[in-house]
Amino acid sequence: MMHPRLLPWVCLMFLLQACGSYAPPAELAGISRDALVARMGPPEIERPTDTGTRLEFPRGPFGKHTWFVYFDTQGRALRSEQVLTEQNFSRVQPGMAQEDVRRLLGRPSEVQGLARSRGEVWSYRYETPFCLWFQVELSLQHQVRSAGYGPTPECESFDDFIFARPR
């Protein structure tokens, strides 16, 4: 029997798998910006690039992907990339500006303040067989203090349920 607290997570995963607009289409090249937005929904943010613009589509807070779609100056799609990868995570280094992290990884899944107003932690869910997410600790000066992997809250709750001693 499934634990009642897990039911919403399971339902959400089935819903996301059934959603056809979760990711950009496989044949993306040349599609118009308007057609892509009609398919995927409004982007979280649009940023200028050297060759045109970039739309960001985070699929959180529980999704494990953030899609960046690049457009030329005519508004035609050039390419897309899923940016929540270990390769990109390894590029986050102490001293890096908060805005540079945001440009590299997109919007975090969750933001938590640190005790005694020492800054905040940005957490990113990503595709992994483990119950981990990538976390970035930011100082009050909006710079990376540290970054690494930690267990996701739902897995900690699940472990507590599974490994709890009988009373």
Side-chain angles (χ1 to χ4, degrees):
M1 182 171 177
M2 183 182 304
H3 188 274
R5 288 179 16 199
L6 293 178
L7 184 60
W9 300 109
V10 172
C11 291
L12 179 65
M13 294 314 295
F14 281 116
L15 180 64
L16 289 177
Q17 288 176 354
C19 182
S21 63
Y22 183 81
E27 299 297 322
L28 178 72
I31 194 171
S32 74
R33 180 193 185 285
D34 292 341
L36 184 74
V37 170
R39 178 186 170 113
M40 296 185 69
E44 196 266 328
I45 195 167
E46 182 171 347
R47 294 180 187 274
T49 65
D50 293 339
T51 59
T53 60
R54 178 178 86 189
L55 302 184
E56 298 180 13
F57 296 93
R59 296 306 192 210
F62 297 104
K64 297 181 177 185
H65 305 95
T66 293
W67 296 96
F68 287 0
V69 181
Y70 295 85
F71 291 85
D72 64 17
T73 56
Q74 305 303 311
R76 292 183 306 259
L78 299 169
R79 66 184 177 89
S80 67
E81 68 177 318
Q82 197 292 108
V83 298
L84 300 182
T85 64
E86 291 186 9
Q87 180 181 5
N88 280 343
F89 297 155
S90 69
R91 295 171 60 194
V92 177
Q93 299 295 318
M96 185 178 206
Q98 172 179 306
E99 184 56 29
D100 291 337
V101 174
R102 184 69 174 70
R103 285 186 211 285
L104 177 65
L105 302 176
R107 182 186 74 204
S109 298
E110 184 176 299
V111 176
Q112 294 178 320
L114 293 171
R116 296 187 292 253
S117 300
R118 292 187 340 237
E120 55 191 21
V121 174
W122 288 4
S123 299
Y124 294 87
R125 295 177 195 284
Y126 70 105
E127 195 72 42
T128 178
F130 308 106
C131 284
L132 296 175
W133 58 3
F134 182 71
Q135 296 182 293
V136 180
E137 181 183 0
L138 297 162
S139 69
L140 291 174
Q141 292 74 34
H142 307 289
Q143 291 187 319
V144 174
R145 186 178 294 131
S146 65
Y149 300 88
T152 59
E154 62 274 11
C155 289
E156 286 179 341
S157 298
F158 182 70
D159 286 347
D160 291 345
F161 170 73
I162 295 295
F163 300 110
R165 294 192 175 131
R167 296 175 197 241

